[in-house]
């Protein structure tokens, strides 16, 4: 089995960190997004949406979407639980994961795509929308800071996929100047802690 | 336990259908989105993001995000499996659910919010982006039609959360004129089949 990956992109990094936390070895095949290698006929056969990462199993079955790839490995090797163990933990981790994805990660992504023109050969960037998305992302850092004032990790008292997505979002955010502020002290303390985990280098 | 719901909104409908498929009874409390009842201090204490639906447990714990609420009940009462049973099924259902959410449901939502001005009291609608989102949504119907030419349901041979999200997206799409076309015959046949399930009326 192998994963089609782009070392510099924020989304596949989530999968690399997830697998490092589970101590699951993996073969990674690099795909150059800027050159559009992900849009080739060969890659479109693996994922019609043309996105990275893609997990290819030995029988040729392909799974795309980082979250889906992570869920596959969570089901195969549950421990350490990164999507939660009890029904309530699962729900709380799913809730925070999605809020971080929708209101931080995707907003930063939209800000990047619509303000930098990085993918302007394959989409129609609308600068006004990109700026709005960056503002939305910055606002969500306040929500996260309030949560981390009362919680050790993003979705409760254990490290989870929600922490992985949040850390990747914050690192990606620098590219479009979405940054933690001085008043985000709980968020900053958490960020220092999770970034020091060996998996963060994956 | 109860769910804060908005009968006319597409997102909480997913939860109602999910619970109907699992035959889990629920108390629903209606919240008027257009009047902004979801943004009250009381509701913000339940979900800082100000979105519906919210599941409130008897001890006051609140879970928001439809998918997280559904995952809670999937963990409590796995059968019938709507997020998949085996690791591969779980991954395939997660993959399709997310693609439908990101490239259909959310695009229709963005088209609605940015072209109609329905929430203009609480956001900055950017018409050009809304139109683009509608075009993206229409394109994804082609991907779905190709998938349903070879698969009985959206994510394989069993009914799943991916079917629920797709059906709710297609029904919501009418509001902004994102519709299945004549050439989408596999998609139309599937749509007829899933819409005839008793849960579709939930």
């Amino acid at each position: 089995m192998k994963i089609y990956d782009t070392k510099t992109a924020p989304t596949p990094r989530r999968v690399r960190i997830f697998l490092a936390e589970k101590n699951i070895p993996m073969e990674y095949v690099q795909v150059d997004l800027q050159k559009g290698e992900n849009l080739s006929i060969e890659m479109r056969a693996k994922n019609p949406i043309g996105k990275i990462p893609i997990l290819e199993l030995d029988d040729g079955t392909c799974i795309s979407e980082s979250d889906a790839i992570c869920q596959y490995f969570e089901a195969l090797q549950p421990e350490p639980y990164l999507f939660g163990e009890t029904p309530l933990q699962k729900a709380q981790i799913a809730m925070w994961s999605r809020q971080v994805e929708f209101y931080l990660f995707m907003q930063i992504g939209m800000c990047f795509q619509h303000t930098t023109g990085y993918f302007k050969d394959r989409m129609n960037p609308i600068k006004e929308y990109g700026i709005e998305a960056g503002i939305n992302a910055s606002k969500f850092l306040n929500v996260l800071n309030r949560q981390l004032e009362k919680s050790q990790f993003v979705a409760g008292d254990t490290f989870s996929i929600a922490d992985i997505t949040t850390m990747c979002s914050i690192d990606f955010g620098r590219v479009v100047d979405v940054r933690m502020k001085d008043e985000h002290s709980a968020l900053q303390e958490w960020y220092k802690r999770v970034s020091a985990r060996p998996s963060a280098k994956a």
Side-chain angles (χ1 to χ4, degrees), chain A:
Chain A
M1 101 174 64
K2 57 189 160 190
I3 287 178
Y4 294 91
D5 179 43
T6 301
K7 191 75 189 173
T8 52
T11 311
R13 184 182 172 214
R14 294 166 59 200
V15 176
R16 293 197 308 271
I17 296 176
F18 187 91
L19 293 179
E21 287 282 341
K22 294 237 178 217
N23 209 8
I24 295 174
M26 181 56 59
E27 178 191 344
Y28 291 101
V29 179
Q30 294 304 309
V31 177
D32 191 323
L33 292 186
Q34 201 172 14
K35 282 190 188 152
E37 286 180 1
N38 53 310
L39 303 175
S40 68
I41 292 167
E42 192 197 2
M43 294 306 291
R44 288 263 196 199
K46 301 184 198 296
N47 180 8
I49 302 298
K51 304 261 179 188
I52 295 297
I54 304 166
L55 166 68
E56 187 170 82
L57 304 181
D58 292 341
D59 70 356
T61 302
C62 287
I63 300 293
S64 52
E65 300 298 321
S66 328
D67 184 84
I69 296 171
C70 293
Q71 290 206 34
Y72 179 70
F73 290 106
E74 180 88 353
L76 274 183
Q77 183 198 299
E79 295 185 45
Y81 290 96
L82 295 173
F83 282 94
E85 186 174 1
T86 67
L88 186 59
Q89 279 173 346
K90 283 179 204 276
Q92 284 170 325
I93 290 168
M95 173 179 79
W96 278 104
S97 286
R98 293 173 75 82
Q99 294 199 337
V100 170
E101 278 192 302
F102 296 165
Y103 306 114
L104 186 64
F105 194 91
M106 290 176 73
Q107 299 300 317
I108 292 168
M110 290 297 101
C111 181
F112 175 73
Q113 290 184 14
H114 287 273
T115 64
T116 67
Y118 191 85
F119 292 126
K120 68 175 184 291
D121 58 334
R122 64 199 86 160
M123 64 171 284
N124 172 25
I126 298 161
K127 197 158 189 172
E128 192 188 354
Y129 176 67
I131 292 168
E132 193 73 16
I135 294 168
N136 292 340
S138 290
K139 279 185 193 162
F140 192 75
L141 295 179
N142 302 328
V143 175
L144 276 171
N145 189 62
R146 281 196 297 276
Q147 166 69 359
L148 287 160
E149 280 169 354
K150 53 189 183 194
S151 176
Q152 203 191 343
F153 293 101
V154 170
D157 53 11
T158 59
F159 180 86
S160 77
I161 181 83
D163 296 286
I164 296 175
T165 305
T166 307
M167 181 174 62
C168 292
S169 304
I170 288 177
D171 287 338
F172 180 31
R174 284 193 206 111
V175 180
V176 287
D177 210 28
V178 169
R179 292 170 196 270
M180 297 179 285
K181 298 195 180 66
D182 288 346
E183 65 262 34
H184 294 145
S185 53
L187 181 60
Q188 292 203 28
E189 190 278 321
W190 162 89
Y191 175 78
K192 215 177 284 177
R193 210 160 13 93
V194 292
S195 298
R197 295 169 80 96
S199 65
K201 293 186 188 65

